[in-house]
Amino acid sequence: MITNKTIALIAHDARKSDMIQWVTHNADTLMHNQLVCTGTTGGLIEKALQEYIGHQTETNVTKMLSGPMGGDAQIAAMVVEGKIDLCIFLIDDLTANPHEADIQMLLRQCRLHNIPVACNRHSADLMLTSTLWGTKYAPSDPTYNKFKR
């Protein structure tokens, strides 16, 4: 089981109910990790986890600003600093986002820094339940050498 990791959870408005369902389904695992969320999503996740636990108590949720106000950029900075282990970002691909540049920056930083990023529930489930968590597995650093034939 994945434990003692920092997991970024982000969901666009049209995907927030999907995220809450996913969080509730995976609450037992997520409660053993630190969760970093954009503002609105973080508030919804915190409430869902408190309801799952059955009482008002401290949660393991850290809320950044909302995405359009810079929350995606704050989480991207955490990726660069090596403070994020996994990113679940449920993106609404059917609606234009005014902060598209921040979204792309976050996804790019995850790719550059070799952080697993899931953009739908299926890939999130696969990543969260990977048998590699808790082992001595260490991903290799990405190389950016020009390919020579």
Side-chain angles (χ1 to χ4, degrees):
M1 176 194 327
I2 181 173
T3 58
N4 301 317
K5 301 294 182 188
T6 301
I7 303 172
L9 299 175
I10 307 153
H12 287 152
D13 287 348
R15 303 295 309 278
K16 288 189 187 329
S17 63
D18 240 1
M19 177 64 83
I20 298 310
Q21 289 173 2
W22 184 82
V23 164
T24 302
H25 179 76
N26 292 291
D28 290 330
T29 298
L30 293 173
M31 289 190 301
H32 295 283
N33 297 277
Q34 181 61 41
L35 307 178
V36 176
C37 309
T38 48
T40 308
T41 302
L44 294 169
I45 288 171
E46 193 169 51
K47 181 180 177 190
L49 289 174
Q50 287 172 339
E51 288 174 4
Y52 181 82
I53 297 168
H55 51 80
Q56 295 287 339
T57 186
E58 282 288 314
T59 63
N60 55 341
V61 177
T62 300
K63 293 178 283 216
M64 310 307 266
L65 295 173
S66 71
M69 297 304 293
D72 296 330
Q74 288 178 302
I75 293 174
M78 292 180 73
V79 168
V80 172
E81 294 168 352
K83 295 178 179 176
I84 299 292
D85 299 299
L86 171 63
C87 179
I88 310 298
F89 192 162
L90 300 186
I91 298 171
D92 175 7
D93 289 309
L94 300 177
T95 303
N97 290 289
H99 62 295
E100 186 66 29
D102 291 345
I103 296 164
Q104 292 306 316
M105 176 188 51
L106 172 55
L107 295 173
R108 179 177 180 272
Q109 293 306 322
C110 286
R111 293 189 307 266
L112 279 174
H113 294 278
N114 221 12
I115 301 303
V117 59
C119 295
N120 59 54
R121 286 179 64 175
H122 189 169
S123 57
D125 285 336
L126 292 172
M127 288 182 193
L128 196 69
T129 61
S130 172
T131 57
L132 295 175
W133 296 113
T135 69
K136 293 182 181 182
Y137 169 79
S140 60
D141 291 331
T143 56
Y144 296 98
N145 299 326
K146 187 172 182 174
F147 180 72
K148 297 177 185 176
R149 295 181 189 199

